[in-house]
């Protein structure tokens, strides 16, 4: 089985992925909070995590997740899975990554991601972590984009793709979830 690196994102109609739940102090607020993706959307996110082998996270996303997920107890097993799976953290400021099964990426992120993908037996997800996407996308290291497009325009914030990045993509799935949220899945063309 060939492993894929998948950027799975909550994204506004105008392409912003920054601070979807309002924990980063960006001033954007909890822009996903007013919407419900519904049972179909919840099943998709659950299956996506259960089918993945590892995560690559930037420091901001790692800090937010590590502060919340270890304390969550859910009957569906999402928290148990995310807490147990390997997490690779790209940071120039963290000295330790104490959340269970977390490893700091030492050295070049592109080299590390290439190695992680080569060694993985399943999908490697990138949640949020715009800095990671911005570094890996220009090197062709993101195999798939799973975008949950929320029906909101934010007008500012960090966008999914880095400035001056161009790439052809092929749409492989689109599906509507609750409250007008649309899943778009793209692979490299």
């Amino acid at each position: 089985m060939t492993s894929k690196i998948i950027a799975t994102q909550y994204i506004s109609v105008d392409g912003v992925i920054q601070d979807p739940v309002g924990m980063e102090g960006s001033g954007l607020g909890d822009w996903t909070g007013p919407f419900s993706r519904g049972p179909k959307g919840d099943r998709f996110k659950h299956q996506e995590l259960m089918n993945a082998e590892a995560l690559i996270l930037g420091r901001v996303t790692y800090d937010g997740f590590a502060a919340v997920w270890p304390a969550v107890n859910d009957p569906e097993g999402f928290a148990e899975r995310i807490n147990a799976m390997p997490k690779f953290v790209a940071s120039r400021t963290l000295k330790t990554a104490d959340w269970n099964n977390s490893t700091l990426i030492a050295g070049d992120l592109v080299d590390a991601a290439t190695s992680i993908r080569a060694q993985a037996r399943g999908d490697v997800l990138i949640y949020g972590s715009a800095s990671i996407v911005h570094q890996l996308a220009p090197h062709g290291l993101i195999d798939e984009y799973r975008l949950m497009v929320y029906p909101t325009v934010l007008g500012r914030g960090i966008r999914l793709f880095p400035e001056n990045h161009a790439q052809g993509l092929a749409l492989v799935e689109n599906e509507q979830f609750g409250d007008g949220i649309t899943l778009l899945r793209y692979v490299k063309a």
Side-chain angles (χ1 to χ4, degrees), residues 7-10 17 57-58 61 65 126-133 160:
T8 180
Q9 307 288 332
Y10 296 149
I17 62 170
L57 303 170
T61 304
F65 280 21
I126 302 169
Y127 285 125
S129 304
S131 63
I132 304 300
V133 175
L160 175 60

Side-chain angles (χ1 to χ4, degrees), residues 10 36-47 148 175-178 181 183:
Y10 296 149
S36 170
R37 61 186 179 218
K40 191 164 49 168
D42 290 346
R43 272 192 305 280
F44 172 80
K45 291 307 282 182
H46 185 268
Q47 248 348 93
M148 262 195 191
E175 188 169 358
Q176 185 160 343
F177 295 146
I181 298 165
L183 170 70

Side-chain angles (χ1 to χ4, degrees), residues 148-165:
M148 262 195 191
V149 182
Y150 280 73
T152 190
V153 174
L154 298 171
R156 66 179 180 85
I158 298 171
R159 293 189 166 39
L160 175 60
F161 294 101
E163 193 71 29
N164 297 317
H165 173 71

